[in-house]
Amino acid sequence: MPRAPIALTISSSDSSGGSGVQADVKTFSALGVYAATAITAVVAQDTRQTYRFVAMEPAFVAQQVESMLNDIGADVVKTGWLVNAGIVDSVVDCLKGDPDARVIVDPSIVAKDGSRLLDEAAVAALRERLLPLATVVTPNVTEAEVLTGRMLTDWNDVREAAAEIAGFGAQNVVIMGGRRDGDVVADLLFDGKEYRDLATDRVPTSSTMGTGAAFSAAIAATLAKGESLPHSVAAAKAYVTKALQNAYPLGQGNGPPHHFYRYWRPLIG
């Protein structure tokens, strides 16, 4: 019997289940891909805020990645919050030996509340060591500003930033939320030569926790199934939009989208 496609996520564990590896595993599973994980940090958080995290030792992160790749293998590898420069370096050392690896990088540099998740040393390691391995990198506008070191005030700035980030070595760049015109939100895909604008209607919901993780995980899952990068990005955008449209209230803050909207509906009230 042929096996299912396999995706490995390297990210933090979120106690609320809305972001990090939990969002990735749910997305992989919803899209028919076997999910494996390597944990970079254990985070105590809920839908309102993050309270505390404990980072894993870089060598232990590497051991998780290597044990997975040496046994089960992976069709794609997706990185999320890598916490510090030591973990970035350990992940790069695990991945750089496979020139055919497809690596999806969700930079996870800035939290939704604007707080920094990576210090300058970690950003430099990500930019200089991990991005050259990336099949696609998916920063939001704020993260693209950190990577390029400049403000992005209009769509032309976003395009220039995508080209600059590609210049760091990433094969493809998707900048999320680069344009917001009324009820329309547009992402930008740059493949090193051409720009593609990907617009969808804004979804009026507060269930936005972990949407960036779900988006990049959906790209990874669709690539793992053998689809092209443009198709994978478009499919991921459609998946997240539907997950937002079908989201239901959870917690007292910003809950997650409904990753399994295709398969079950919650009983509310």
Side-chain angles (χ1 to χ4, degrees), residues 174-262:
V174 178
I175 298 183
M176 301 184 292
R179 187 176 70 223
R180 298 175 179 268
D181 299 329
D183 292 330
V184 176
V185 180
D187 300 336
L188 176 70
L189 166 61
F190 179 61
D191 64 5
K193 296 179 181 179
E194 297 181 354
Y195 297 93
R196 301 187 189 198
D197 300 351
L198 305 167
T200 55
D201 293 337
R202 187 191 303 269
V203 179
T205 179
S206 62
S207 299
T208 57
M209 183 184 195
T211 50
F215 176 68
S216 56
I219 294 174
T222 311
L223 282 174
K225 293 190 285 189
E227 299 292 347
S228 68
L229 190 279
H231 176 85
S232 297
V233 173
K237 198 165 175 63
Y239 169 78
V240 171
T241 298
K242 285 289 188 181
L244 289 168
Q245 290 171 341
N246 287 276
Y248 55 94
L250 190 68
Q252 300 175 49
N254 295 106
H258 187 7
H259 301 87
F260 294 109
Y261 68 88
R262 296 175 176 174

Side-chain angles (χ1 to χ4, degrees), residues 8 10 37-38 60-70 77 91 94-95:
L8 166 65
I10 308 171
T37 66
F60 182 53
V61 175
Q63 187 173 24
Q64 294 176 73
V65 175
E66 290 170 349
S67 63
M68 162 59 192
L69 295 180
N70 291 337
V77 176
V91 169
C94 290
L95 300 179

